[in-house]
Amino acid sequence: MINSDLLKTGVNEIGAELDSYAIDRFDSYAERLVRWNEHVNLTAITDPDEIVIKHFVDSLYPLRYVQMKAGQKLIDIGTGAGFPALPLLIVNPGLEVNFVDSVGKKLGFVKDVLRNSGLVATITHCRAEEISKNDEHREQYDYATARAVAPLNVLCEYGLPFVKVGGLFIALKGSSGEEELHNAKDAIKTLGGELAKFDEYTLPNGDKRSIVIIRKISQTPTKYPRKSKKIDTKPL
Ligand code: SAM
């Protein structure tokens, strides 16, 4: 059982709110995360208070800066055990979320949590850069999100092709965010983005985090994303 006061306080500090459905859903999400983690490698964090702060509250920080609305489309790249998109969906069940990861077992967990919570979403098992040239996905999303997936210059090439012009790419980072942002300046410009917001924040336990929000201001040139190996070895 998670500490719902800890969750509510953390979420209120962000400026968001939770109803009783959301609290129940977070509770069963945490319980399943710990249970699944015994046989699938999902997270190093299994203490209930740490799950609340380092996974749930951290994942909801985009809501301090962005008002996500029902019917908007969000793609979460390298979602792992569902972070940050599953907490965002729990708080706003009207979002249309696509959970993407290259590891099928992790998506099996996300599917289980969705089914158990009565939430509806799409799950896509692939590397992000393998589908972002398809019309079905290219520049179709209001938001792309990613936490702890790759350095920002690499991540931009995974994420920005999915975002429609006017939409946002939101990357949740640790304390290295500012340096990563500096190294990603060229990538952001080349891929049609512009920095909308960079901020540093402190989680309720004192851990430092940062958030980078990039607005898509023009279409991504069709040659991007390049092949996976090229993206990783020769980041923009
Ligand atoms: N976002 C989750 C979180 O914050 O807890 C998971 C982070 S985990 C360190 C990184 C995840 O990204 C892994 O599940 C990995 O399979 C996935 N991943 C890495 N590169 C990817 C890519 N190009 N496309 C899809 N998934 C990717």
Side-chain angles (χ1 to χ4, degrees):
M1 191 76 177
I2 57 168
N3 178 342
S4 57
D5 287 336
L6 185 66
L7 178 62
K8 276 193 238 165
T9 309
V11 172
N12 289 347
E13 268 178 35
I14 293 168
E17 274 180 37
L18 298 176
D19 60 21
S20 61
Y21 293 106
I23 291 167
D24 287 350
R25 282 169 169 155
F26 277 118
D27 197 47
S28 92
Y29 186 3
E31 187 248 311
R32 272 162 203 269
L33 182 64
V34 173
R35 188 145 41 89
W36 270 69
N37 205 46
E38 286 165 14
H39 54 96
V40 178
N41 185 15
L42 294 170
T43 179
I45 298 166
T46 51
D47 171 73
D49 286 357
E50 290 206 355
I51 291 174
V52 166
I53 291 170
K54 294 186 182 179
H55 282 324
F56 296 162
V57 174
D58 188 37
S59 292
L60 294 171
Y61 260 84
L63 301 179
R64 175 176 275 180
Y65 310 93
V66 179
Q67 207 193 345
M68 295 182 176
K69 298 194 192 96
Q72 287 187 315
K73 291 180 71 175
L74 183 152
I75 186 163
D76 192 27
I77 295 157
T79 193
F83 304 116
L86 196 33
L88 291 168
L89 180 63
I90 289 176
V91 169
N92 191 343
L95 283 175
E96 287 184 32
V97 178
N98 190 350
F99 293 89
V100 177
D101 205 286
S102 52
V103 177
K105 276 185 186 172
K106 298 187 182 186
L107 293 174
F109 167 72
V110 172
K111 203 176 195 171
D112 182 58
V113 177
L114 290 170
R115 196 188 307 116
N116 178 257
S117 304
L119 292 166
V120 179
T122 305
I123 287 178
T124 310
H125 177 201
C126 68
R127 290 191 64 89
E129 64 275 25
E130 285 165 2
I131 58 163
S132 61
K133 281 193 176 164
N134 302 354
D135 290 348
E136 192 191 336
H137 298 290
R138 191 163 187 95
E139 303 190 324
Q140 296 300 311
Y141 294 87
D142 299 284
Y143 309 104
T145 52
R147 187 184 80 155
V149 176
L152 191 63
N153 50 0
V154 170
L155 203 54
C156 283
E157 195 164 347
Y158 294 160
L160 272 167
F162 289 109
V163 180
K164 54 169 83 156
V165 173
L168 300 172
F169 176 49
I170 304 169
L172 293 176
K173 290 282 168 192
S175 49
S176 63
E178 194 163 15
E179 192 187 335
E180 288 194 40
L181 181 58
H182 179 75
N183 294 334
K185 290 240 154 75
D186 289 347
I188 294 169
K189 196 164 174 218
T190 304
L191 296 163
E194 180 185 75
L195 181 66
K197 182 89 193 165
F198 170 75
D199 207 2
E200 291 174 319
Y201 58 92
T202 306
L203 291 174
N205 66 341
D207 286 0
K208 303 279 183 208
R209 297 283 188 272
S210 59
I211 183 167
V212 181
I213 304 180
I214 297 164
R215 186 178 305 285
K216 186 84 172 263
I217 54 167
S218 59
Q219 287 189 325
T220 299
T222 49
K223 67 189 261 204
Y224 302 109
R226 298 163 296 160
K227 297 262 182 256
S228 305
K229 202 169 166 208
K230 198 96 187 244
I231 299 175
D232 289 349
T233 55
K234 289 202 178 330
L236 291 170

